[in-house]
Amino acid sequence: MNTKTKLVMNFKNEFDKKVTLSIEDPRDNLNKEEIVSCMNLIVDKDIFTPNGISLVKALDAKVITTDTTDYNLA
């Protein structure tokens, strides 16, 4: 079984559109305060500007874990 984890962060841009940023394999002990702090830093410092459009508000975040089982049928 192959397990993958990613942190998915959702923001609102200056045109009121939802923008999603994902980080593969986040640290296991990542906590809510760290995520909120990071997302606020991204907004406050205008670190990412997808398509030249600023992110203006952190909306929500989630950690997604996916388990994949491969079956060799040959």
Side-chain angles (χ1 to χ4, degrees):
M1 184 178 311
N2 184 12
T3 302
K4 292 187 179 186
T5 305
K6 69 178 170 179
L7 169 64
V8 178
M9 300 175 287
N10 293 306
F11 298 87
K12 184 188 299 184
N13 71 16
E14 60 189 344
F15 294 119
D16 205 32
K17 300 290 182 184
K18 183 177 171 183
V19 176
T20 301
L21 299 176
S22 298
I23 298 174
E24 298 290 328
D25 298 318
R27 210 176 66 231
D28 287 338
N29 61 348
L30 195 60
N31 64 48
K32 179 182 175 180
E33 291 77 21
E34 291 172 312
I35 294 169
V36 169
S37 177
C38 175
M39 291 179 74
N40 288 334
L41 182 67
I42 289 170
V43 171
D44 293 343
K45 299 291 183 181
D46 207 18
I47 294 172
F48 296 108
T49 54
N51 299 318
I53 302 168
S54 294
L55 303 175
V56 296
K57 183 178 181 182
L59 297 176
D60 58 52
K62 57 187 154 205
V63 174
I64 299 173
T65 303
T66 306
D67 290 327
T68 304
T69 302
D70 293 323
Y71 296 100
N72 185 356
L73 303 179

